[in-house]
Amino acid sequence: VNESKNILALALALQADGHIPKDCDKWSFRFGRDRKINRLKEILEALNWRYDETVDTDGYTKIRFYSVPAVFKYLNSEKLFNWASFLQLDSNSLDFVLDEIFRWDGSPLKDFNGRKEYRTTVKHNAELIYTLMKLRGHGSTLYDKEGVWTISKNIRQFSRCKWKSLQQYTGKVYCPTTQTGAFLVRSPNGKISVTHKTRFCAARVVA
């Protein structure tokens, strides 16, 4: 894992569990889970970034270190993701993001599909991860339950349309032309599909 991926990993950790104070140049994390403690230390040590580690009286571990400016390429001080920076990543980096995100705000589901879920209260961040899932060909769903946005990552890549209807229409019909032959369509309710500009029976749809 090169430095840029460690910066990405730190950005994902910060949006999930980090605290960015307005009056101090040090970021802080407070964990009760060993896996998160060990992962954050692994990232910081790979970046050769010094940190302080203490254990509070309640047993939680606090890790503090000076801010890493390069992280702000991917999120701002309010911990909102920078869509433009993520959408410019290559496929390997995007796959890394979609694996790393579950180390922080994710959990595996114990069902036969082997699904995972990413949860956040920040709609802006949820919609980005959902978009990246679709762009990388993952079956995924996005829904809101009492202010918590949940995005699933499914093993399946394809889905089928259970309902269809014919609509009478008179007017222009547009066919997008892209370099890859594929395009992304986002409906008003936030759902995304990725399809090729081919005849219906040959189209690949990820939904």
Side-chain angles (χ1 to χ4, degrees):
V1 179
N2 59 29
E3 178 175 316
S4 61
K5 286 189 176 179
N6 282 305
I7 292 296
L8 273 170
L10 185 54
L12 298 176
L14 186 62
Q15 64 85 33
D17 296 306
H19 174 61
I20 304 176
K22 297 184 182 299
D23 57 351
C24 177
D25 195 30
K26 275 194 172 183
W27 296 342
S28 63
F29 291 74
R30 193 169 183 269
F31 298 123
R33 297 179 179 178
D34 288 340
R35 65 175 177 83
K36 289 192 172 186
I37 297 169
N38 294 335
R39 179 55 180 152
L40 180 60
K41 290 164 64 174
E42 179 183 16
I43 295 168
L44 294 172
E45 289 166 7
L47 291 170
N48 197 28
W49 208 262
R50 294 183 59 183
Y51 61 87
D52 298 321
E53 180 181 358
T54 57
V55 179
D56 292 340
T57 55
D58 58 5
Y60 277 73
T61 296
K62 182 180 291 183
I63 296 177
R64 300 179 72 238
F65 53 92
Y66 283 106
S67 61
V68 183
V71 167
F72 288 120
K73 177 180 179 180
Y74 298 105
L75 80 171
N76 63 20
S77 60
E78 302 298 321
K79 303 200 297 184
L80 297 177
F81 286 142
N82 183 335
W83 277 59
S85 293
F86 278 95
L87 292 175
Q88 290 173 3
L89 294 172
D90 61 25
S91 59
N92 288 333
S93 296
L94 289 176
D95 289 341
F96 174 81
V97 168
L98 295 179
D99 178 65
E100 182 71 24
I101 193 73
F102 291 101
R103 296 184 179 220
W104 302 102
D105 273 336
S107 63
L109 294 181
K110 296 181 180 179
D111 64 10
F112 67 94
N113 286 324
R115 290 182 299 154
K116 296 180 179 179
E117 286 189 343
Y118 161 73
R119 300 184 187 92
T120 179
T121 58
V122 184
K123 181 181 179 182
H124 174 94
N125 291 352
E127 289 183 332
L128 172 66
I129 297 302
Y130 178 60
T131 301
L132 299 184
M133 290 283 189
K134 293 296 187 176
L135 290 175
R136 294 303 298 145
H138 295 292
S140 182
T141 57
L142 168 68
Y143 62 90
D144 170 31
K145 185 176 181 180
E146 298 178 353
V148 177
W149 293 88
T150 300
I151 302 95
S152 68
K153 181 181 181 182
N154 307 321
I155 292 177
R156 65 175 175 81
Q157 287 188 305
F158 304 100
S159 63
R160 60 185 177 181
C161 180
K162 296 182 179 180
W163 301 279
K164 64 180 179 180
S165 62
L166 297 177
Q167 302 291 330
Q168 295 296 325
Y169 174 77
T170 301
K172 292 183 178 180
V173 176
Y174 296 90
C175 180
T177 300
T178 66
Q179 291 181 341
T180 62
F183 57 92
L184 180 151
V185 177
R186 181 172 177 173
S187 63
N189 65 4
K191 302 298 182 182
I192 291 174
S193 66
V194 181
T195 183
H196 285 271
K197 56 178 185 359
T198 60
R199 57 191 175 89
F200 175 77
C201 62
R204 174 174 183 256
V205 178
V206 182

